[in-house]
């Protein structure tokens, strides 16, 4: 069992640290997203993931590949799975400390509770109505949840196989993050929406609504994963020039009542 004294929140992510120049200090929770075996039972903390995003997950890149980091995330995940109430009590305590220190640093505290997971933490968020929480999520049930906390901002993550959910999110004003292959020149628009540069900072709650958030794929992962990229392109997780044309056609079909039949929705 993970000891209570182990820190849950992280503050040294290069991208979230960019937010300090905007006046925000981000605390982020990193868990092990999938393939968590606890007492011989597998637990998936990112239930809407597909093979492509599992292979190319941030949990398998850069800092996340260090043995000590991997073990810390595994232990945090085991603690959450085995004793979620105790886990959340400690999480709430750390968020309170984050708020106090951020104020001393003259920065606004913000929180991401799903750095490498996709869990509903509404009960935790409701303890802090005066600060902003934000997430990337592939779960449409969370992104479009009618009773999600008002201070919780979602950006829906496009994974190639969830395009219908992405279209629904756009229809409801929820921004959609799309990962472009590094060799692809980003178009100005996608799905009739302007593309914003999502690499400048991580503060997604500052983005104007009804936009596409363009992220550039960065190959900072094991060779075994990057070698599978050609195969994984068929999922359209990494958007390229030829992918854009196909996705635009799919979106037009989605908007067309007749085309909706291709999604099994009828007219």
């Amino acid at each position: 069992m993970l000891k209570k004294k182990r820190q849950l929140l992280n503050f040294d992510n290069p991208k979230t640290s960019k937010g300090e120049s905007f006046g925000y200090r981000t605390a982020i929770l990193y868990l092990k997203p999938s393939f968590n075996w606890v007492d011989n039972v597998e637990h998936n903390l990112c239930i809407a993931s597909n093979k492509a995003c599992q292979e190319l997950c941030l949990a398998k890149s850069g800092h996340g590949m260090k043995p000590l980091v991997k073990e810390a995330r595994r232990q945090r995940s085991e603690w959450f799975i085995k004793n979620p109430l105790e886990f959340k009590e400690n999480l709430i305590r750390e968020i309170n400390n984050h708020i106090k220190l951020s104020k001393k640093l003259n920065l606004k505290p913000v929180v991401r509770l799903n750095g490498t997971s996709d869990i509903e933490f509404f009960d935790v968020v409701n303890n802090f109505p005066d600060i902003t929480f934000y997430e990337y999520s592939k779960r449409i049930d969370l992104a479009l949840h009618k009773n999600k906390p008002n201070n919780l901002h979602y950006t829906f993550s496009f994974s190639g196989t969830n395009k219908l959910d992405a279209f629904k999110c756009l229809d409801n004003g929820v921004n959609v993050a799309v990962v472009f292959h590094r060799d692809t020149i980003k178009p100005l628009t996608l799905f009739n929406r302007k593309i914003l540069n999502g690499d400048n900072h991580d503060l997604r709650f500052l983005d104007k609504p009804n936009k596409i958030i363009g992220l550039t794929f960065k190959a900072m992962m094991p060779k075994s994963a990057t070698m599978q990229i050609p195969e994984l392109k068929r999922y359209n997780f990494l958007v390229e020039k030829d992918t854009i044309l196909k996705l635009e056609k799919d979106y037009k079909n989605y908007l067309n009542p007749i085309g909706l039949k291709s999604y099994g929705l009828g007219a």
Side-chain angles (χ1 to χ4, degrees):
M1 176 64 66
L2 186 64
K3 295 181 180 179
K4 290 183 181 181
K5 65 180 181 181
R6 181 178 289 280
Q7 182 174 321
L8 295 176
L9 296 176
N10 184 283
F11 299 90
D12 61 0
N13 179 285
K15 188 175 180 183
T16 56
S17 296
K18 293 180 181 179
E20 294 185 9
S21 63
F22 294 83
Y24 295 90
R25 181 171 181 257
T26 299
I28 187 167
L29 173 65
Y30 288 111
L31 300 175
K32 187 173 183 290
S34 55
F35 309 112
N36 289 282
W37 288 91
V38 178
D39 297 332
N40 295 318
V41 177
E42 183 180 1
H43 298 264
N44 187 348
L45 302 184
C46 195
I47 60 174
S49 61
N50 62 15
K51 181 180 178 181
C53 56
Q54 288 174 4
E55 289 294 341
L56 303 178
C57 183
L58 288 175
K60 294 184 177 181
S61 66
H63 189 66
M65 288 305 295
K66 295 181 178 179
L68 288 178
V69 174
K70 291 171 67 175
E71 177 60 17
R73 293 179 182 180
R74 186 198 67 77
Q75 290 188 20
R76 291 189 202 109
S77 300
E78 181 178 344
W79 188 11
F80 173 77
I81 292 165
K82 283 191 170 183
N83 197 333
L85 290 179
E86 182 184 76
F87 181 96
K88 290 178 180 179
E89 287 175 358
N90 281 265
L91 184 57
I92 289 171
R93 174 180 55 80
E94 289 194 22
I95 294 174
N96 276 314
N97 291 337
H98 166 49
I99 294 172
K100 293 176 183 178
L101 181 55
S102 296
K103 289 181 178 179
K104 288 182 179 180
L105 297 173
N106 199 30
L107 294 170
K108 296 179 181 179
V110 293
V111 181
R112 270 185 65 187
L113 294 178
N114 286 288
T116 44
S117 55
D118 208 351
I119 302 165
E120 187 230 285
F121 279 113
F122 292 178
D123 52 348
V124 174
V125 176
N126 283 328
N127 283 276
F128 303 95
D130 297 326
I131 69 169
T132 297
F133 290 74
Y134 66 102
E135 307 284 11
Y136 292 92
S137 178
K138 293 181 178 68
R139 293 179 56 181
I140 192 170
D141 63 312
L142 297 183
L144 298 184
H145 200 292
K146 294 181 179 180
N147 296 316
K148 66 178 181 291
N150 292 329
N151 58 325
L152 175 57
H153 181 278
Y154 276 106
T155 298
F156 189 77
S157 292
F158 178 74
S159 68
T161 58
N162 63 358
K163 57 189 172 185
L164 181 56
D165 286 346
F167 298 159
K168 289 180 179 178
C169 283
L170 288 172
D171 279 353
N172 285 275
V174 176
N175 290 349
V176 173
V178 176
V179 181
F180 292 84
H181 193 277
R182 65 178 184 273
D183 295 329
T184 300
I185 299 175
K186 298 176 186 176
L188 296 177
T189 62
L190 183 65
F191 308 138
N192 299 328
R193 270 82 172 180
K194 182 179 179 180
I195 296 178
L196 302 181
N197 188 336
D199 293 327
N200 290 337
H201 61 76
D202 191 60
L203 305 171
R204 298 278 67 87
F205 57 92
L206 296 180
D207 298 330
K208 293 182 179 179
N210 207 26
K211 299 291 187 293
I212 300 295
I213 310 303
L215 304 172
T216 303
F217 169 67
K218 303 167 185 66
M220 295 171 51
M221 55 189 62
K223 187 177 180 181
S224 60
T226 56
M227 288 175 63
Q228 296 184 56
I229 290 177
E231 176 189 351
L232 296 174
K233 286 179 181 178
R234 62 189 176 89
Y235 287 89
N236 296 326
F237 177 78
L238 298 179
V239 174
E240 299 182 295
K241 292 180 181 178
D242 56 346
T243 311
I244 292 172
L245 296 175
K246 184 177 184 301
L247 290 175
E248 292 285 23
K249 181 178 180 180
D250 289 338
Y251 185 61
K252 288 181 180 179
N253 286 335
Y254 166 76
L255 295 177
N256 186 333
I258 297 176
L260 283 177
K261 292 182 180 179
S262 65
Y263 293 101
L265 299 179

